[in-house]
C-alpha cells in the first residue's frame, strides 16, 4: 500500500468529510449571534417578512400555571352511597341493639336520629381533599357532576369524613337522653365519600386548556425595525431576535435549496480538514507520512462531530453535555500539544456553525480545551487526569459566571442548574483514559501513560535484569538519569528517553558475565578469541531486540535498543586484535555494531549518556578535569564517527548536554568543586 499512500490519504480525508457533512443538520445557518445584554454592533436589522413573537419559556410556564388554576377539579356524585349507608346503619342498629343494654322504648328515636344525620350529611356531600389543590388554601372550588349536570361548589361547603364525624358529635352532644358513644360508633362506620375525584376527566380538561394556549404574543410586521445598531439587546429585543431566528429557519427549511446547504457544509468541513493536513505536512511530517496515524486523527475528529450531529438530531436538552475536551486530551497524550490545540480549534470552528450562540460556545470550549491541554503538558502521574478535570470544571465555572454577568447583570438571576451540563461534560471527559488505551492497542501507538508503566522498575523485564544482571541494571538506571535530565533541558520526550535507557541493555541478560559491570574478578573474555568476544558483545543488541519484541515492548522503545551503539566499532577488541595479530587480515565488520545510527534527538542523547556513563567507571581518580576531558572526548568521537548526523541535535544543544553530564557525574562521584 505504500505505493498508493497518497491516494489512501485522500480517500480517508474524503470519507471523513462525507461522514461529517452527511450527518450534520441540513438547514440554513442564521446569520447573527444573539446575546442578551450586549450592544448590537451590526447593522440595523429590519424584518423582511411578518412573524409572530414567540413567548419565553417563563411566559409559557406562567400562562400554563394560570390556565391550570382556572380549571376546577371534577367530582362525580354517587347518589346510591347515601341510601346504602342508611340501610346499613339500620341493620347495624338491629344487630347491636340487644347487646348494648339500652331502653327498648328509645330504639325508634336512635334509629331516626342516626338516619336523619346520615341523610343530612350525604345530602350535603362527603369527599376526600386532594393535596395538589391545597397549595394556596385548605379549601378550593370544585365542580360536581350529577348525571352530567355540573354544579360549582367549594370544599368549605362540603364534608370530609372527619368533619362529618365532628358535626355528628356536636349534634349528639345536645341530646342528653341518647347514648352518644353508641350512636356515634354506628354512624362513623357508615361515613364514606359520595363525591369521588375524577382524575381522568380533570386531567383531560387541564390538557385541553394547556394545548389551547398560544405560544406567541404579538407580531412583527414586514419592514419593522427589530433592533437598531448600537442599542442594547434587552429582554424584549432578545425575544424578537429569537423569534426572527425561528421564523428564518422555518422559512429556509421550506424555501431553501438543500443542495446548496449541503455544498456549503462540504466546503467548510473540507477547508478545515485540509488545513489539518497542511499542518501535518508542514510541522509533523512523521505523522503525515504514516496513514495509520492520520486515520486515527481523522477518526477522533469525525467521531466528535458525528456525536454533535446526533445530539442535534436527537434534540439533546443541552449541547454542552458533549465532552468536547476529550479530543484535545486524547491528541495531546498520543501526539503533542501543538497538534492537540490545532485539532481542537478546527473541531470547535466546525461545531460553531451548528450550535446556538456560536461565540459563547467557542469561548467556553476553546478556553476549556486549552486548559485541558496545558494541564497535562507533562503527564507523569495518573492522578493528573483528575486534576485536569478539576481545572477544566473551574474554567467552565469562571466562564459561566462571566458570561452570565454579561447577559443577566445580576447574580440572583443566574440559573445554577444551567451549569450542570458542564459538570456532566467534564465527567464524560474522563472516558479519555480507556479510549487512549484502546487507540494504543488498535493503532500501535505508545502514549505517555504506557511509558509511565514501562519505567516502573517492577516491570517484568526490569525486575529480571535486576536479579540476573545487577551491574547492567544499575548502569541502566544511571544512564536513564543522565539522558532524562539532558533531554528535559534541551527539549524532548523525557519519559520516552527514560524508558529507552532502562531497556537499552536488556540483551545483556543472555550472558551477563561477559559484560564488565556484572563481573567480580573473573573475566570470561580472557579465554576467547577477540572476534568471538566482539560478537558476544555485539549480540546483546540483537538479543535485546528479540527479548523486547517477545515482551511486546513498543517499537518506539525497541528503537533505542537498535540504535544506542549505532554502527560504531567495539574498539577494545578491535585494537587488541590489531596489536596482537598485525599480520592477519581483519574484517572490520566483525567488530562493528549493525546499526542503525540514532535518528531521533532522544536516541542521540541516550547514545551519549550510555557511552559517558560506561566510560566514567574506568576513571581511577575522577575529578572535574578528568570527567570533563572524558565527556569531551566521547562526544567528539561520536561526531567524528558520524553517529549523530541524523539525531537533529545542534552544537549548542551538545554543549548543554555536556554541561549536564559533567555536573551529574561529578555529583555521582562526589567531586568537590573549587570555588
Amino acid at each position: 500500500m505504500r505505493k498508493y499512500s497518497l491516494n489512501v490519504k485522500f480517500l480517508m480525508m474524503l470519507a471523513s468529510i462525507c461522514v461529517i457533512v452527511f450527518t450534520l443538520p441540513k438547514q440554513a445557518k442564521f446569520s447573527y449571534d444573539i446575546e442578551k445584554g450586549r450592544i448590537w454592533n451590526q447593522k440595523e436589522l429590519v424584518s423582511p417578512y411578518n412573524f409572530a413573537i414567540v413567548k419565553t419559556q417563563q411566559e409559557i410556564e406562567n400562562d400554563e400555571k394560570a390556565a391550570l388554576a382556572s380549571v376546577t377539579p371534577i367530582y362525580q356524585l354517587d347518589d346510591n352511597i347515601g341510601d346504602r349507608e342508611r340501610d346499613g346503619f339500620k341493620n347495624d342498629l338491629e344487630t347491636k341493639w340487644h347487646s348494648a343494654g339500652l331502653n327498648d322504648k328509645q330504639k325508634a328515636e336512635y334509629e331516626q336520629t342516626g338516619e336523619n344525620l346520615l341523610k343530612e350529611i350525604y345530602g350535603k356531600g362527603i369527599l376526600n381533599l386532594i393535596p395538589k389543590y391545597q397549595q394556596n388554601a385548605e379549601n378550593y372550588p370544585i365542580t360536581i357532576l350529577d348525571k352530567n349536570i355540573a354544579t360549582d361548589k367549594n370544599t368549605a361547603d362540603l364534608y370530609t369524613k372527619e368533619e362529618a364525624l365532628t358535626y355528628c358529635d356536636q349534634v349528639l352532644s345536645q341530646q342528653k337522653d341518647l347514648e352518644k358513644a353508641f350512636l356515634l360508633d354506628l354512624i362513623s362506620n357508615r361515613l364514606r365519600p359520595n363525591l369521588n375525584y375524577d382524575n381522568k376527566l380533570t386531567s383531560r380538561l387541564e390538557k385541553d386548556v394547556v394545548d389551547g394556549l398560544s405560544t406567541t404574543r404579538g407580531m412583527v410586521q414586514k419592514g419593522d425595525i427589530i433592533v437598531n445598531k448600537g442599542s442594547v439587546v434587552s429582554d424584549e429585543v432578545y425575544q424578537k431576535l429569537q423569534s426572527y431566528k425561528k421564523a428564518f429557519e422555518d422559512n429556509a427549511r421550506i424555501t431553501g435549496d438543500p443542495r446548496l446547504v449541503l455544498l456549503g457544509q462540504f466546503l467548510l468541513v473540507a477547508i478545515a480538514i485540509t488545513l489539518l493536513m497542511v499542518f501535518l505536512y508542514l510541522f509533523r511530517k512523521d505523522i503525515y507520512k504514516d496513514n495509520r496515524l492520520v486515520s486515527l486523527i481523522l477518526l477522533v475528529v469525525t467521531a466528535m462531530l458525528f456525536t454533535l450531529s446526533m445530539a442535534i438530531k436527537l434534540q439533546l436538552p443541552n449541547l454542552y453535555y458533549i465532552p468536547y475536551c476529550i479530543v484535545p486530551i486524547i491528541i495531546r497524550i498520543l501526539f503533542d500539544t501543538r497538534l492537540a490545540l490545532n485539532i481542537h480549534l478546527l473541531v470547535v470552528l466546525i461545531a460553531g456553525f451548528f450550535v446556538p450562540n456560536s461565540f459563547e460556545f467557542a469561548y467556553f470550549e476553546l478556553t476549556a480545551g486549552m486548559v485541558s491541554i496545558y494541564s497535562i503538558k507533562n503527564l507523569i502521574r495518573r492522578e493528573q487526569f483528575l486534576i485536569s478535570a478539576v481545572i477544566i470544571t473551574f474554567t467552565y465555572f469562571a466562564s459561566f459566571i462571566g458570561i452570565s454577568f454579561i447577559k443577566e447583570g445580576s447574580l440572583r438571576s443566574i440559573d445554577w442548574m444551567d451549569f450542570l451540563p458542564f459538570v456532566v461534560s467534564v465527567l464524560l471527559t474522563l472516558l479519555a483514559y480507556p479510549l487512549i488505551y484502546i487507540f494504543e492497542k488498535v493503532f500501535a501507538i505508545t502514549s505517555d501513560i504506557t511509558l509511565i508503566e514501562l519505567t516502573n522498575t517492577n516491570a517484568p523485564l526490569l525486575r529480571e535484569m535486576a536479579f540476573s544482571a545487577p551491574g547492567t541494571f544499575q548502569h541502566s538506571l544511571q544512564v536513564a538519569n543522565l539522558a532524562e535530565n539532558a533531554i528535559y533541558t534541551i527539549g524532548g520526550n523525557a519519559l520516552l528517553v527514560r524508558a529507552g535507557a532502562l531497556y537499552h541493555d536488556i540483551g545483556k541478560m543472555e550472558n551477563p558475565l561477559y559484560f564488565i559491570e556484572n563481573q567480580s574478578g573473573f573475566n570470561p573474555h580472557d579465554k576467547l578469541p577477540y572476534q568471538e568476544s566482539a560478537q558476544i558483545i555485539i549480540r546483546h543488541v540483537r538479543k535485546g531486540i528479540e527479548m523486547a519484541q517477545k515482551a511486546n515492548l513498543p517499537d518506539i522503545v525497541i528503537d533505542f535498543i537498535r540504535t544506542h551503539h549505532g554502527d560504531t566499532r567495539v574498539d577494545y577488541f578491535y585494537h587488541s586484535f590489531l596489536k596482537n595479530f598485525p599480520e592477519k587480515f581483519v574484517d572490520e565488520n566483525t567488530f562493528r555494531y549493525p546499526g542503525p545510527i540514532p535518528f531521533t534527538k532522544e536516541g542521540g542523547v541516550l547514545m551519549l549518556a550510555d557511552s559517558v556513563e560506561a566510560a566514567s567507571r574506568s576513571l581511577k581518580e575522577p575529578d572535574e578535569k578528568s570527567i570533563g576531558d572524558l565527556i569531551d572526548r566521547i562526544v567528539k568521537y561520536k561526531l567524528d564517527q558520524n553517529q549523530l548526523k541524523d539525531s537533529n541535535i545542534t552544537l549548542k544543544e551538545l554543549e548543554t548536554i555536556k554541561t549536564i553530564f559533567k555536573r551529574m557525574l561529578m555529583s555521582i562521584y562526589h567531586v568537590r568543586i573549587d570555588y
Side-chain angles (χ1 to χ4, degrees), residues 453-460 462-463 466 473 477 498 502:
E453 294 173 349
L454 291 176
T455 54
N456 184 346
T457 53
N458 284 316
L462 296 181
R463 192 165 60 247
F473 179 71
L477 288 175
R498 182 169 189 83
L502 289 174

Side-chain angles (χ1 to χ4, degrees), residues 276-290:
L276 174 58
M277 290 299 108
V278 170
F279 175 84
L280 293 177
Y281 179 78
L282 293 177
F283 302 105
R284 288 302 303 268
K285 285 191 177 181
D286 56 322
I287 298 176
Y288 178 82
K289 292 177 181 178
D290 192 336

Side-chain angles (χ1 to χ4, degrees), residues 334-469:
L334 294 180
F335 297 102
D336 63 31
T337 300
R338 286 190 305 168
L339 182 57
L341 187 58
N342 189 277
I343 289 176
H344 184 59
L345 177 63
L346 293 177
V347 169
V348 171
L349 284 177
I350 296 174
F353 276 98
F354 308 101
V355 298
N357 296 328
S358 300
F359 173 79
E360 181 181 310
F361 169 82
Y363 187 85
F364 272 126
E365 300 309 331
L366 284 178
T367 53
M370 293 167 72
V371 165
S372 67
I373 294 170
Y374 301 157
S375 61
I376 54 173
K377 180 179 181 294
N378 294 308
L379 184 65
I380 56 175
R381 297 184 307 276
R382 294 177 187 275
E383 60 264 28
Q384 284 183 252
F385 273 109
L386 294 176
I387 296 172
S388 178
V390 172
I391 296 174
I392 294 171
T393 304
F394 178 78
T395 304
Y396 271 136
F397 184 74
S399 302
F400 176 79
I401 292 292
I403 290 176
S404 297
F405 282 167
I406 292 174
K407 292 168 66 174
E408 306 294 342
S410 169
L411 183 63
R412 281 185 287 183
S413 61
I414 297 176
D415 186 355
W416 297 106
M417 288 303 294
D418 289 342
F419 186 68
L420 179 62
F422 296 101
V423 176
V424 175
S425 172
V426 174
L427 293 176
L428 291 176
T429 300
L430 295 176
L431 290 173
Y433 193 84
L435 285 175
I436 289 167
Y437 177 79
I438 294 171
F439 287 142
E440 281 190 271
K441 297 304 178 184
V442 174
F443 293 92
I445 298 176
T446 304
S447 72
D448 287 353
I449 299 173
T450 300
L451 293 176
I452 290 173
E453 294 173 349
L454 291 176
T455 54
N456 184 346
T457 53
N458 284 316
L461 277 178
L462 296 181
R463 192 165 60 247
E464 182 184 350
M465 182 165 63
F467 284 106
S468 62

